[in-house]
Amino acid sequence: MSTPARAKPLQAVVLDLDDTLYPEREFVRSGYHAVEAALRDRGITDKPIADWLWARALGGEFAGAYDAINDHFQLGLSAEQLAELVTCYREHTPAIEPYPDVREVLSQLAGRFKLGLLSDGVALTQGNKLAALDLPDVFAATLFTFARGPEYAKPAPAGFEALAEELGVPHDACCYVGDNVSKDFVAPNALGWLTIRLVMPGQIYAAKDIAPGGAPAVEVHSWSTLGSLLVTPAE
């Protein structure tokens, strides 16, 4: 496999975070355990909240998790208490690990390209995830779109434009690696970036429809393949 022919060599590789650097389901599961611990510590319940929520998530149900446990376990939580659970989930220190080969490939890529990170999501939550992954310090620029404002969230181009400017690399020399075809690749495609979809088992948004203009140029199924695709062996 090789990258599509391009007029200008790649100078920058920008990565998504969730379901690209690590399995997002593991963050979800970690968050459920944090919520269960909070409910137990507050003397509200000692029921297996996390296991129940995880089984629900494995069935494809992620939305409305705390209303669901409130009803199912008859917890009688107020709106304020439910909001506190959301905060607990978002702000907990997650127990997550990167996909296989991520650390090695990132180090390889950093030797050849400027690396960036562009991710939707609450900035504090995304920052906690990145810290928990304990990756090599290789990112020259990081942009959490929600910290900039809704106009920066994917599929809008503003975040990609800002990150390319921060990296000092023209659009036609940039690459974006993500997973979600409903939003990840619309803007970088329009801007002339190379787009690569990482397909891994259990990704939360794997079944999403491809957005208009959102088909990736290339698909890979492992980080080792991604590394082989982007890193040209030394002559």
Side-chain angles (χ1 to χ4, degrees):
M1 180 187 294
S2 61
T3 59
R6 300 179 65 79
K8 185 173 294 184
L10 288 178
Q11 298 175 38
V13 175
V14 179
L15 298 146
D16 182 33
L17 175 56
D18 299 313
D19 268 345
T20 300
L21 290 176
Y22 80 101
E24 186 173 0
R25 286 189 179 203
E26 293 308 306
F27 173 80
V28 173
R29 191 174 192 177
S30 174
Y32 291 163
H33 280 286
V35 166
E36 180 180 290
L39 290 170
R40 184 173 58 248
D41 291 346
R42 296 169 191 176
I44 294 173
T45 183
D46 59 359
K47 298 289 180 63
I49 298 294
D51 289 345
W52 187 85
L53 284 173
W54 182 239
R56 180 177 180 269
L58 290 177
E61 294 185 81
F62 293 92
Y66 306 120
D67 286 328
I69 60 170
N70 202 24
D71 293 340
H72 182 80
F73 292 99
Q74 298 182 335
L75 301 179
L77 298 174
S78 66
E80 181 180 358
Q81 288 173 310
L82 290 171
E84 290 173 354
L85 295 185
V86 173
T87 299
C88 173
Y89 177 88
R90 288 178 175 172
E91 296 185 358
H92 85 284
T93 299
I96 55 177
E97 290 288 338
Y99 283 123
D101 301 314
V102 166
R103 292 188 175 93
E104 179 182 354
V105 173
L106 282 179
S107 295
Q108 292 172 351
L109 295 178
R112 298 176 181 266
F113 308 106
K114 292 183 178 181
L115 298 188
L117 183 72
L118 189 152
S119 174
D120 286 347
V122 176
L124 176 60
T125 305
Q126 301 306 91
N128 286 345
K129 293 172 183 176
L130 187 58
L133 290 172
D134 192 26
L135 297 173
D137 184 17
V138 293
F139 295 111
T142 298
L143 194 155
F144 297 136
T145 62
F146 287 17
R148 300 284 186 101
E151 69 274 17
Y152 282 84
K154 295 178 286 187
F160 294 92
E161 292 169 337
L163 198 56
E165 182 177 357
E166 187 171 345
L167 290 170
V169 176
H171 291 300
D172 57 359
C174 291
C175 169
Y176 189 62
V177 183
D179 67 286
N180 187 344
V181 294
S182 72
K183 66 173 185 175
D184 279 354
F185 308 116
V186 175
N189 279 339
L191 293 168
W193 294 35
L194 171 65
T195 51
I196 302 175
R197 181 188 185 189
L198 177 69
V199 181
M200 299 290 279
Q203 288 172 317
I204 289 177
Y205 302 109
K208 287 283 189 179
D209 292 335
I210 299 175
V218 183
E219 285 191 356
V220 296
H221 293 258
S222 70
W223 264 82
S224 61
T225 304
L226 177 66
S228 298
L229 179 70
L230 293 175
V231 179
T232 304
E235 297 290 336

